[in-house]
Each structure stands twice: as structure tokens, then as C-alpha cells.
Amino acid sequence: MAVKDPTAVERANLLNMAKLSIKGLIESALSFGRTLDSDYPPLQQFFVVMEHCLKHGLKVRKSFLSYNKTIWGPLELVEKLYPEAEEIAASVRDLPGLKTPLGRARAWLRLALMQKKMADYLRCLIIQRDLLSEFYEYHALMMEEEGAVIVGLLVGLNVIDANLCVKGEDLDSQVGVIDFSMYLKNEDDIGGKERNVQIAAILDQKNYVEELNRQLNSTVSSLHTRVDSLEKSNTKLIEELAIAKNNIIKLQEENHQLRSENTLILMKTQHHLEVTKVDVEAELQTYRHSRQGLDEMYNEARRQLREESQLRQDIENELMVQVSMKHEIELAMKLLEKDIHEKQDTLIGLRQQLDEVKAINIEMYQKLQVSEDAMKEKNEIIGRLEDKTNQITATMKQLEQSDKDLLTQTRTIAMSFVKCASNEAQHQYKLVKDISF
């Protein structure tokens, strides 16, 4: 014969005991009136059986002084998985008479039964097997299929109304021993089977109504939550709309203020432009007058330069005529040419100075258009140009005087040369006449 796994046998026995306990509790509650208190024996045996089921395969945790094996650890985990269980856990922790974790676990089971949510809490727990593995061995009842079957059986306990007083009860020192005599069959129970069937049908209808009521309550709560969220979002939108309206009003005020400032700036700019235009026209008129005076001075210097050039040309022509004369005249003419070349260099320098005057005049014209400060500098330059023009005029007068003196000297030399030539001709004529005689 094959040897059976002892842990599997333990799980099967605990499952059968849970079935018997839950069935006996429901049947006795229906016959008793379905409102139970703490002293009811089948209810006490149910808690003992549930305690043994939760303890099966529980890992031993090493504490500071000793080894501890309690079911409060996995039950305390329920509040993290099921938010509605936070109230039970907080109530259990606040109970003054509980000192051990086992007592807290027993109080938790009683409060869950009174809330008719024990099946929901344990179903949430067995789904998270990765978290249960921290508290149970891999072969524990809560880690296998038997745990899911027990959770399904616990749904039937919702037909029971329990009124348990947990606060004054000594849950720390209770001894959990299963009384098997309560589950032995009795002949008196066979006669009430038909009545139990009718009661079971009524209980099924009650379970259906309670389940429907629970679903409706969850739907109503979800609708309330949705309404609250919509009201919050509506309030938020109203606040945002008010803020947006205030922002629009502020922006309109800022826009109006900016337009007023823009109009004021535009008026100031136009006034400044008009004043600047008047100043520019006055400066332009002044520049035109000064330019006219400079043009007249330039034309006068140019006319004098043309006269000097014409005079130089005449002197050159006369000198070219005198080149054909004798050696003395040639020597004199060479001296004259030398002087004329020197004067040409002087005239070239004068032309360069006139070109500089023209360049300075153009520069003055450009600078007078820029600003009033440049006009002052150009006035100074004009003064210097007037000085230079006066110097040029004096120099040209000196050159004219020197040319007149040179022409006078040349004419004197020519006259003396002609006189000498005529005297020599007369002398030769006399010699010829004497020879003829």
C-alpha cells in the first residue's frame, strides 16, 4: 500500500472538521434563532476549528527570548490588502485586555464574523500567496486548495447574526480543544430534516437578498464616489473659471494701460521729431550759407590760378621766342627756365593744397549732416581753410609780383640785347661803309 503524505491527511481532516463545524453552526443557528452570542458552544467550536486551520503549516518565528508561532501576523496583513479591514485591526489594537498576538487574532476572527466579511478578508489573503509564503510553509492549508474551499464555505456564515462581546472576554488564556462529540449524528436530528430543508431554502433566499443588497450598496458607494469626484471637479472648474476671468480683467487693464502709455510715447516722439526737424533745417541753412561762402572763395582761387597759369604760359611763349637769340639770352633764358621750374613746383604744391581744401570741404559737408558737434569742428576747419586760402592768395600775389619782376628783368635784358645788337649793326654798317669808301 502506498504511504500517504501526512500533511495532505492533516489538510483533509481539517477541511472535514471545518465543513462539519460550519454546517453544524448554521443548522444550530437556524434552530436557535440565528442570533448568537459568545457563550454559544457551536460558535466557540467554530473559532477553535478556524484557529487550527490558520495554524496549520505556520512558520515558527524566532523572537528575542523564545520561538513564537502565532496567526496574528497573516491576519494583520489583511488591512494592507483590503482597506475596509483597517477598522477591525485598529479596534483589535485598541482593546485594553489583549496582551498576546493570539488573543488579538481571536478578537479579529470574532469581529470579522460580526461584520459578515470573514470570507472576503480570507479570500483576499489566500490570493496573495507570495505574501503568505513569509508566514506559512509550502504545504500549509492556506497555501493549498483546501484553504480556498474553506473560504467558500465561510460565505454561508453570512446568514448568521452574531452579537459577541469581545471587550470583557479573556481571549489570551483560552484553550483551543475541538469537541468531537458535537459532530456525532443523533436520531433526533433525522426527524427535523424536512424542516431544515425549508429553513435552508429560506436562508438561500436571505443570502441572495443580502448579496444583492451588498452589490447595490457597492454600486451606490461607487456612484457617491463618482458624484463627489464630479462635484470636486466642478468646484475646481468654477474656481479656475473665476481665476481665468480675473486674469482676463487684469490683462484688459494692462492692455488699456499699455495703450495709454503707447499713445503718450507716440506724442512725445512726434514732438521730439518736430523739434529735431527744426534744428536740422536750421543747421542745413547755416551749412548752405557757409558752403556758398566757401564756393565763392574756391572760385576766386581757381580764377586766380587760371590767370597765373595763363601768365605762366605767356612767359613760356616769350621765353621760347627768346631761345633763338644769342648765347647770353640762352643763358638768361636757362636761368629763367630754372626759376620757372621752381615756380611750377610751387604751383603744384598749391594745387595739392587746393585738392586738400576740396577734400576737407567734402568731409566738412558729410560731418555737418551728422551732428551739431561735428559742425563746430567743421567751423574750426573752415577757419583754418580761410587762413590757408589767405596764405595761398598772398603766395599767389607774391608769385605774380615775382613773375612781373622777372618779366621786367627779361624785357630789360631783351631791350639791352636789342640795343646792343642795333649798336653792333650800326657799327658793322659803319665799317662796311668805311670799307666801301
Side-chain angles (χ1 to χ4, degrees), residues 313-356:
Q313 188 68 33
D314 294 339
I315 292 170
E316 287 180 355
N317 292 330
E318 291 178 1
L319 289 174
M320 290 299 294
V321 173
Q322 296 298 326
V323 169
S324 61
M325 294 183 178
K326 291 185 176 182
H327 183 65
E328 289 86 0
I329 295 174
E330 289 178 357
L331 292 174
M333 290 302 293
K334 286 180 181 180
L335 293 172
L336 289 173
E337 287 177 356
K338 186 177 181 180
D339 292 334
I340 289 170
H341 285 301
E342 291 178 355
K343 291 177 180 180
Q344 285 179 351
D345 294 334
T346 305
L347 289 172
I348 290 170
L350 291 173
R351 286 181 179 177
Q352 291 178 354
Q353 290 181 358
L354 287 173
D355 293 334
E356 291 178 358

Side-chain angles (χ1 to χ4, degrees), residues 46-304:
F46 166 74
F47 288 127
V48 172
V49 172
M50 286 301 301
E51 185 177 337
H52 280 80
C53 291
L54 292 173
K55 283 183 179 180
H56 183 262
L58 192 67
K59 290 182 179 180
V60 177
R61 289 183 171 270
K62 187 176 181 181
S63 63
F64 183 70
L65 297 176
S66 62
Y67 291 94
N68 188 13
K69 187 176 182 181
T70 179
I71 60 175
W72 174 240
L75 294 179
E76 194 176 13
L77 186 65
V78 175
E79 62 177 331
K80 298 179 180 178
L81 304 175
Y82 202 90
E84 295 182 5
E86 294 179 356
E87 183 180 356
I88 294 180
S91 300
V92 170
R93 293 189 189 96
D94 294 337
L95 287 175
L98 300 178
K99 299 179 181 179
T100 62
L102 182 60
R104 296 189 187 95
R106 289 170 177 171
W108 189 93
L109 290 174
R110 283 159 173 76
L111 292 176
L113 180 64
M114 284 192 291
Q115 284 188 347
K116 298 183 180 181
K117 290 186 178 180
M118 183 183 293
D120 297 334
Y121 294 157
L122 294 180
R123 183 175 66 250
C124 238
L125 189 61
I126 64 173
I127 291 173
Q128 303 292 333
R129 295 192 177 183
D130 53 345
L131 298 177
L132 281 180
S133 62
E134 298 179 2
F135 301 96
Y136 290 100
E137 301 290 345
Y138 69 94
H139 56 78
L141 183 140
M142 296 297 292
M143 300 289 290
E144 297 293 339
E145 294 180 358
E146 288 82 355
V149 174
I150 292 174
V151 170
L153 294 173
L154 291 175
V155 178
L157 295 178
N158 294 335
V159 300
I160 298 174
D161 295 329
N163 186 10
L164 307 178
C165 183
V166 183
K167 186 175 182 180
E169 191 173 358
D170 186 12
L171 299 176
D172 294 328
S173 59
Q174 287 183 359
V175 179
V177 179
I178 300 176
D179 187 6
F180 292 98
S181 61
M182 295 180 62
Y183 306 109
L184 298 176
K185 291 185 178 180
N186 194 357
E187 294 179 356
D188 295 335
D189 297 333
I190 298 174
K193 184 179 292 186
E194 294 180 357
R195 184 173 60 85
N196 291 334
V197 171
Q198 295 177 356
I199 294 172
I202 295 171
L203 289 175
D204 291 337
Q205 293 179 0
K206 181 178 181 295
N207 291 333
Y208 172 75
V209 172
E210 287 182 353
E211 188 67 25
L212 182 61
N213 189 16
R214 184 182 299 176
Q215 292 179 359
L216 290 175
N217 289 330
S218 63
T219 305
V220 170
S221 62
S222 64
L223 290 175
H224 280 302
T225 305
R226 188 174 179 183
V227 168
D228 293 336
S229 64
L230 289 174
E231 288 179 353
K232 290 179 180 178
S233 61
N234 189 15
T235 306
K236 188 175 180 181
L237 289 174
I238 291 171
E239 292 177 355
E240 291 178 354
L241 180 61
I243 293 170
K245 287 182 179 179
N246 293 329
N247 291 331
I248 290 171
I249 294 171
K250 290 180 180 178
L251 290 174
Q252 289 177 354
E253 293 177 354
E254 290 179 359
N255 189 10
H256 181 68
Q257 185 177 0
L258 289 174
R259 285 183 178 178
S260 302
E261 292 178 357
N262 189 13
T263 306
L264 183 60
I265 291 170
L266 183 62
M267 293 174 64
K268 289 182 179 180
T269 305
Q270 289 179 353
H271 179 67
H272 182 67
L273 287 174
E274 290 176 357
V275 173
T276 306
K277 187 176 180 181
V278 172
D279 294 338
V280 169
E281 288 179 355
E283 291 177 359
L284 183 61
Q285 191 69 24
T286 305
Y287 170 73
R288 286 176 180 174
H289 289 303
S290 61
R291 180 181 173 84
Q292 185 176 1
L294 291 173
D295 290 339
E296 292 176 357
M297 292 171 63
Y298 174 73
N299 292 328
E300 183 65 24
R302 189 174 181 182
R303 184 182 61 77
Q304 291 178 1

